[in-house]
Amino acid sequence: MTQVEFPPNTPPEKNSSPKTVASHASHPQAWKWYDYFTFNLDHKVIGIQYLVTAFLFYLIGGLMAVAIRVELATPDADVLDPNLYNAFMTNHGTIMIFLWIVPSAIGGFGNYLIPLMVGARDMAFPKLNAVAFWLNPPAGLLLLASFFFGGSQSGWTAYPPLSLVTAPIAQSLWILAIVLVGTSSILGSLNFVVTILMMKVPSLKWDQLPLFCWAILATSVLALLSTPVLAAGLVLLLFDINFGTSFFKPNAGGNVVIYQHLFWFYSHPAVYLMILPIFGIMSEVIPVHARKPIFGYKAIAYSSVAICVVGLFVWVHHMFTSGTPGWMRMFFTISTLIVAVPTGVKIFAWVATLWGGKIRFTSAMLFAIGLLSMFVMGGLSGVTMGTAPFDVHVHDTYYVVGHFHYVLFGGSVFGIYAGIYHWFPKMTGHKLNEGWGRVHFALTFIGTNLTFLPMHELGLQGMPRRVAMYDPQFISLNQVCTIGAFILGLSVIPFALNILWSWSKGEVAGDNPWRALTLEWTTSSPPIIENWEVLPVATHGPYDYGHNVEIAPTGTPEVSA
Amino acid sequence: MTVATPSEHHGEEHHPDLRVPGLLTFLISESLMFGGFFATYLFFRGTTAVWPPEGTEVELLVPTINTIILVSSSFVIHFGDVAIKKNDLAGMQRWYKITAIMGAIFLLGQVYEYMTLGYSMTANVFANCFYLMTGFHGLHVFVGLLLILGVLKRSQRPGHYSATKHTGIEMAEIYWHFVDIIWIVLFSLLYILNQF
């Protein structure tokens, strides 16, 4: 790369907002509102399309969750018919994973930020990018349409033989929906890999790449390697349901455990698909709002890669009770526990970054710290279940439900919220209201703990998951969970209103409201079409806080050269 | 991070052509899907006493001829790529037409094989795997054939391909090689391995 010379006496104000970057208002070809409803090729439009669509699905999946909790407020099946309960439970899980967390964390933030962070004008394949997004809405419609055919009732795992005997049309629609989002995920991932590897501006060195880019790179590799295996499994299931084959029919020579292997070879890495981008968001939010260089840049970057690699070899820990032989239990117990190491590296690096930092308790930072506490909780309960003997005890109980909601809600959803509060000024040019942000955080934090903490105790006492009716001894803890679920439901309201109000009338943010140092903050808010008038030159690392930012060296034209 | 805004640099940038790395990344992903099928097949093979079960043996003559045709077509298509790099458009078209014909013969051979085997996809787990895997591969050959025909159609436009501009031709070739490699694995698993 070419080193840029800085005259030592460059006036600080001169280059802090480059003149040649046109503001959003003066740019003649800014997008209009209706462009967001079209097959637009701009990565920023596609990113926002992903985020908004995913949020709508989050509301739908959330209403299903509330319905489930209402049903579970009493031990009897008095609100929902048990079949309908199963359909709600299945589609709640499916929608939240495949249409909310994965598309918003990877598709939404990834599309919006990756080209901006690496200094590119767009993704490597803009048309492919738009195709990848537009596979998502029909997938959601297929899932919702399945309710007219009885609803897929076999849980989000769709284990045969249950998935072979209940509601065949609904189950087929479910499979087609998952294949669509899987295709979307593969196309998006190959786009990210090629963009990050090939389109980085030359001045941005590999060890200056923002950690979010490392996280998305690792995520994309994981998606590329694991998603097609799920597709293979689902195709076999589809043939079993509709075309008379017997891959998973034990009475005709088939074997159900193969499905579990194919399914979890994707769906365990899917856990990292959901959390790795969030780790990336954390690594961006924490140093900016703590005003400190991130602790252990390389350790965080390498640990993303390590999670990606080790994550591919742990899937059997979901199958400890499926007749897995002892040596396999041992291998997969150990490899599962090893994943805790790179994850722990990240957690410690963030805590060390916070340590002694000049922390600004913005809403983004609150959600990031909230995520830290919840994810430690979810991670520790994960370690307990990674060991085969304990797993056999709590298998298919509410302990599992509590664990993965701490990881997925306390981890992923908190991270998505943190990311939205952090990058909303860049995306819209307006800041979100901080007061309402705090209300939103308080409700979410209380609601999450109230809903999911009692589930651990319920599981240890032996309450099974995926049932509409339960033994009356579990009633009081279940009612606590239901109250928590209502608080979580309410928490969305201040957030949604805040978004709608701030988007049009919020405080004008300026180009760099958080005084962050990554490349996306060097362009206008919202960025112009094609991102920059002239591509940026990276002159220092993305987390070099602690120097006086105002007089940080500024790239100047190489006029003398 | 701060920026330099040297306006004299404007106009020098160009969007790089990244279609080949994109295709390679996609094919890595695709091969993992076949990997899922291979793993399933090997699992059944390892847990079933008589494999393939009686009455569902494969025939060898047509598939062997098919294999020879498909493997040699990989060389034929490469000659086409060599030709365009020497700016020999007519040569490229000739080699790609031969590849297309060989691909079509392969597909017809597969259809003939299906018709003469005497058992259907639902016969038993081996037949399930056999038809699903060869069928999926056949679908990929069909897609490759469409790519080659697309290249041939575009090569009619004057100046569309040249010694310096032939990414589309290259991509069709890479995809064809991929289909070929998958077939070699499939042929080994489904036909050769079952002879022992």
Side-chain angles (χ1 to χ4, degrees), chain A residues 18 20 121 124-125 190 198 224-225 228 236 243-244 246-247 252-253 255 258 517 519 522 533 536-540 553 555, chain B residues 1-6 10 13 15 18-19 21-22 25-26 29 32-33 36-37 40 43-44 121-122 125 128-129 132 136:
Chain A
T20 44
R121 297 214 180 273
F125 310 107
L190 86 89
M198 318 288 268
L224 279 172
L225 296 180
L236 299 183
F243 304 117
S246 46
F247 294 104
N255 191 316
I258 296 179
L517 297 177
L519 280 180
T522 60
E533 293 278 322
V537 175
T539 55
H540 48 72
Chain B
M1 217 176 276
T2 44
V3 281
T5 54
H10 202 51
E13 4 159 338
H15 188 88
L18 298 168
R19 283 178 290 167
T25 319
F26 178 69
S29 196
L32 261 290
M33 189 186 70
F37 292 141
T40 308
F43 188 99
F44 282 127
M121 185 172 72
T122 52
V125 182
N128 296 166
C129 291
L132 190 100
F136 250 69

Side-chain angles (χ1 to χ4, degrees), chain A residues 51-112:
Chain A
L51 281 172
V52 172
T53 316
F55 187 75
L56 293 177
F57 280 118
Y58 173 51
L59 295 182
I60 295 173
L63 286 176
M64 290 181 183
V66 170
I68 290 170
R69 283 317 317 175
V70 169
E71 164 63 49
L72 293 176
T74 56
D76 304 319
D78 42 8
V79 181
L80 299 173
D81 163 48
N83 287 336
L84 188 60
Y85 174 88
N86 284 342
F88 268 157
M89 188 254 324
T90 302
N91 284 286
H92 161 72
T94 312
I95 286 175
M96 288 307 196
I97 289 168
F98 292 107
L99 289 163
W100 155 238
I101 299 180
V102 170
S104 60
I106 310 177
F109 288 109
N111 269 309
Y112 200 96

